Amino acid sequence: MGRQSMANLRRICALLCVFAIAACSLEGDVDDQSGAKSGGIPVGDGFDFYVLALSWSPGYCRSQGDRANRQQCGPGTSYEWIAHGLWPQFHRGYPEFCEPGTRDRVPDAVSDGVFDIMPSSGLIAHQWRKHGACSGLDAGDYFFVTRKAYDAIEKPDIDAGRSQAFSETHNAIEDAFLSANPAMPPEAIAVTCDRRFLRDVRICMKPDLSDYVSCPEVDRRHCRLPRMVVPPAN
């Protein structure tokens, strides 16, 4: 084989190597397996969508009374919307207490990173054991996604500076969220109550948080009371 032919062969081999490297890089970008990232969001697997449960903390504290968590409801605390949890969900039913992560302790550095939006060590540990371990993510990634989901939602000022509890319909609470988040469809949100108090707003989101998801099973669990009590945050 002549020198020119050898040179041409080397060029072809080099080009093939470049194409192979580029193909591997592209596969990494679109990888949808557990732990892969979409737009910087770790994407879990083994479920259809997330339910972000935003709890109106004053409603939880009032409904639970003396049984309420002291870190969240004790003297000097004044939380409003907190992250009750980020729940992996099927279109019918949901996984819970999945192995092996249910026995894993949440590292202090991870807990500290979300304590401002989940102000209870017991809540953080319980959410990881019951829900987070079913996400296909480790604790660090799961709570990272929890914060991203929490930050993605604009929370309306539902008590508007009131100092006394007032009554409201679940539709009015839902409408406040829809108005604050114009891209959110009505079929992706449900408002729940505990006894007679506002408890959670549950919002269904894709595993990569890129969009909302219609979730009729979640919506069917909305508050059935004609009006609920909304305690103020101050």
Side-chain angles (χ1 to χ4, degrees), residues 54-56 60 63-64 84 192-194 197-201:
L54 296 174
S55 179
W56 180 246
Y60 160 77
S63 68
Q64 296 299 302
H84 181 172
T192 71
C193 52
D194 185 4
F197 297 99
L198 168 64
R199 182 60 183 275
D200 285 348
V201 172

Side-chain angles (χ1 to χ4, degrees), residues 22-202:
C24 290
S25 176
L26 287 172
E27 287 178 1
D29 287 343
V30 299
D31 188 2
D32 62 357
Q33 300 302 309
S34 175
K37 294 189 178 182
S38 176
I41 301 296
V43 180
D45 62 1
F47 61 99
D48 295 323
F49 59 93
Y50 282 124
V51 176
L52 172 66
L54 296 174
S55 179
W56 180 246
S57 187
Y60 160 77
C61 296
R62 286 283 295 276
S63 68
Q64 296 299 302
D66 292 340
R67 296 175 299 165
N69 182 277
R70 304 307 292 172
Q71 287 179 297
Q72 183 176 339
C73 304
T77 59
S78 183
Y79 295 102
E80 297 183 2
W81 294 108
I82 69 158
H84 181 172
L86 186 68
W87 306 336
Q89 187 90 7
F90 302 131
H91 289 295
R92 298 192 65 178
Y94 55 89
E96 59 181 342
F97 296 111
C98 300
E99 293 290 351
T102 50
R103 295 192 181 94
D104 291 349
R105 180 177 177 274
V106 179
D108 289 343
V110 173
S111 296
D112 292 346
V114 293
F115 202 77
D116 58 320
I117 63 170
M118 301 184 76
S120 162
S121 301
L123 175 62
I124 291 169
H126 176 72
Q127 291 301 310
W128 168 245
R129 288 194 302 269
K130 184 175 182 179
H131 300 288
C134 300
S135 67
L137 303 173
D138 62 28
D141 280 347
Y142 170 71
F143 285 105
F144 174 83
V145 178
T146 299
R147 174 173 286 285
K148 287 291 187 181
Y150 177 89
D151 290 344
I153 303 301
E154 190 70 31
K155 292 86 173 169
D157 182 17
I158 60 168
D159 62 355
R162 290 182 174 93
S163 59
Q164 300 293 324
F166 60 99
S167 67
E168 191 57 275
T169 66
H170 81 271
N171 283 331
I173 302 296
E174 182 175 310
D175 287 345
F177 270 84
L178 295 175
S179 178
N181 300 271
M184 184 186 297
E187 59 270 19
I189 180 173
V191 178
T192 71
C193 52
D194 185 4
R195 300 178 185 178
R196 60 194 181 99
F197 297 99
L198 168 64
R199 182 60 183 275
D200 285 348
V201 172
R202 299 177 180 179

Side-chain angles (χ1 to χ4, degrees), residues 208-219:
D208 63 359
L209 310 184
S210 64
D211 202 355
Y212 301 101
V213 176
S214 175
C215 48
E217 185 176 87
V218 174
D219 190 49

